[in-house]
């Protein structure tokens, strides 16, 4: 079992920035972020492997940057140029190979217009 602990959500104005952090309780290959807006399905945001390979959703590419600290089993999501459409609960996610097996509790990100 892997526990994921998120931090860093909050309220920001349009165009602002936030950084999310997620610490895993042990080493795991893939970590990343999904988000769920009110009334919508949970959607992929970004992932990173321990080797540093990254993947982004088209809607955040160029604005969000995912990075990792292997020594701390922690990943970060730097979110710049935030828009009201980015408002959602952001969930940290992790998995060993191709699928997500573990989820964090979620952290709220609200972008005001």
């Amino acid at each position: 079992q892997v526990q994921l602990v998120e931090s860093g959500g909050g309220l920001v104005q349009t165009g602002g920035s936030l950084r999310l952090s997620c610490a895993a309780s042990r080493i795991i290959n893939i970590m990343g972020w999904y988000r769920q807006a009110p009334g919508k399905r949970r959607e992929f945001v970004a992932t990173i492997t321990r080797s540093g390979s990254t993947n982004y959703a088209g809607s955040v590419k160029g604005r969000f940057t995912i990075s990792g600290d292997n020594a701390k089993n922690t990943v970060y999501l730097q979110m710049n140029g935030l828009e009201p459409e980015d408002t959602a609960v952001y969930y940290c996610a992790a998995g060993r190979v191709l699928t997500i097996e573990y989820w964090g509790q979620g952290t709220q990100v609200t972008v005001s217009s």
Side-chain angles (χ1 to χ4, degrees):
Q1 191 71 10
V2 175
Q3 283 73 48
L4 303 173
V5 179
E6 303 126 330
S7 61
L11 173 65
V12 66
Q13 292 185 334
T14 297
S17 299
L18 283 174
R19 189 175 85 150
L20 306 182
S21 300
C22 174
S25 59
R26 62 172 178 82
I27 293 174
I28 194 158
N29 185 43
I30 300 171
M31 293 183 69
W33 298 91
Y34 285 66
R35 68 186 181 186
Q36 187 167 17
K40 295 187 177 181
R41 299 181 67 176
R42 191 172 297 188
E43 65 176 7
F44 167 77
V45 175
T47 53
I48 187 169
T49 66
R50 289 187 66 84
S51 64
S53 295
T54 58
N55 193 21
Y56 293 94
S59 60
V60 307
K61 195 173 293 185
R63 299 188 298 124
F64 293 8
T65 302
I66 190 168
S67 60
D69 184 335
N70 289 342
K72 297 180 179 179
N73 295 332
T74 298
V75 294
Y76 307 96
L77 186 69
Q78 178 66 42
M79 304 185 293
N80 298 328
L82 284 162
E83 304 165 350
E85 293 73 24
D86 296 313
T87 295
V89 177
Y90 283 69
Y91 294 92
C92 183
R96 289 170 292 177
V97 184
L98 296 178
T99 60
I100 296 300
E101 301 171 84
Y102 307 102
W103 295 95
Q105 297 285 353
T107 184
Q108 178 70 46
V109 171
T110 302
V111 184
S112 64
S113 57

